[in-house]
Amino acid sequence: IQQEIGNKAGEGVTLNNIGEIYHDRGDYPTALKYLEQSLRIQQEIGNKAGEGVTLNNIAGIHRAQGDYATALKYLEQSLSIRREIGDKAGEGTTLNNISQIYDARGDYATALKYLEQSLSIMQETGNRAEEAVISWNIGLTYKERGDLAKAESYMSRAVQLAEEIGHPKLEYFREGLEEVRAQLRGR
C-alpha cells in the first residue's frame, strides 16, 4: 500500500519493521535485505531520523552475527545522525548499543563510559523504562568485572524502577539481583 500510494516515508518504515521481524527470527540475510532497502529510501528522501534508526538496526544484525567492527561502524553513524538532529532518546539507545559491543569484547571500562552517558540521557528525558534497562546493563557490566557491590547497587535500582512502572523484565531483573545478592552473601 505504501508503494501504491507513493508514500516513500511509510515504505521506509515498513521495510525497517519487516527487517526487524526477520532479525527477531534469526534470519539475518533477509533482515539485512529489508533494512538496506529501508536505508536507501531514508537517505533518498532525507529522513535523518529514519536513517538513524535504520543504521542502528543494521548494526544489530552485525552484532548478532558477531561482526562487532561492522556493527560499531553503523552505530557510530547512527549516533552522529541522532546527535545532529537532537534525537536524545535515540542517542541514548545508540550509546547503550555501542556499550554492548565493548562489553562483548571484554572492554568493560569503555562499555561503562557509554552506559553512563546513556543512563544520563534516559534520566534527563524521563524514560524510566530505558533507565531500568541501562541500570541493569551497568549492573551486569560490574558483575562481569567482579565488582558485585556496584553490580548489586545498579541492579537494585533497575528492579526498583521496574516495579514502579510494571516493566516486562521485572521478574528477570529480580532473579538476576537475587543471584548477585547470593554471591555477595557467599563471600
Side-chain angles (χ1 to χ4, degrees):
I1 293 173
Q2 301 294 353
Q3 291 171 329
E4 220 174 81
I5 64 173
N7 183 353
K8 290 300 243 182
E11 181 181 353
V13 169
T14 302
L15 289 166
N16 196 338
N17 291 340
I18 292 169
E20 284 301 284
I21 290 168
Y22 281 105
H23 178 188
D24 290 345
R25 290 180 170 177
D27 184 349
Y28 304 131
T30 304
L32 272 176
K33 181 182 85 170
Y34 282 101
L35 290 169
E36 287 167 354
Q37 288 176 47
S38 174
L39 182 61
R40 278 192 298 277
I41 289 171
Q42 305 295 355
Q43 291 170 332
E44 177 187 312
I45 65 173
N47 181 355
K48 291 300 224 179
E51 183 179 353
V53 168
T54 305
L55 288 165
N56 194 67
N57 292 344
I58 290 172
I61 301 295
H62 291 288
R63 178 178 161 222
Q65 294 176 313
D67 184 354
Y68 301 131
T70 302
L72 196 54
K73 179 185 83 166
Y74 282 104
L75 287 168
E76 288 168 350
Q77 290 175 36
S78 176
L79 183 62
S80 175
I81 288 169
R82 288 174 163 194
R83 284 180 170 160
E84 175 189 325
I85 65 173
D87 177 4
K88 293 301 272 183
E91 179 183 352
T93 298
T94 302
L95 288 165
N96 177 58
N97 292 341
I98 290 171
S99 80
Q100 300 306 293
I101 301 294
Y102 286 103
D103 188 86
R105 290 176 165 175
D107 184 349
Y108 303 128
T110 303
L112 285 168
K113 179 184 87 168
Y114 283 102
L115 284 167
E116 291 292 345
Q117 291 176 50
S118 179
L119 181 63
S120 176
I121 288 170
M122 296 309 174
Q123 290 170 333
E124 176 187 324
T125 60
N127 188 335
R128 296 168 58 84
E130 285 300 310
E131 182 182 347
V133 171
I134 306 303
S135 295
W136 184 258
N137 289 344
I138 293 172
L140 287 177
T141 302
Y142 277 117
K143 180 182 175 190
E144 291 167 358
R145 286 179 71 173
D147 189 338
L148 295 178
K150 280 193 175 177
E152 194 270 343
S153 173
Y154 280 97
M155 292 170 139
S156 291
R157 178 67 179 147
V159 168
Q160 176 191 0
L161 286 165
E163 287 172 344
E164 289 173 7
I165 64 172
H167 197 285
K169 289 191 172 185
L170 176 59
E171 288 310 310
Y172 170 76
F173 288 170
R174 282 182 177 154
E175 290 170 13
L177 176 59
E178 273 313 304
E179 181 184 306
V180 167
R181 286 179 172 163
Q183 289 174 339
L184 277 168
R185 287 190 297 268
R187 284 187 160 179

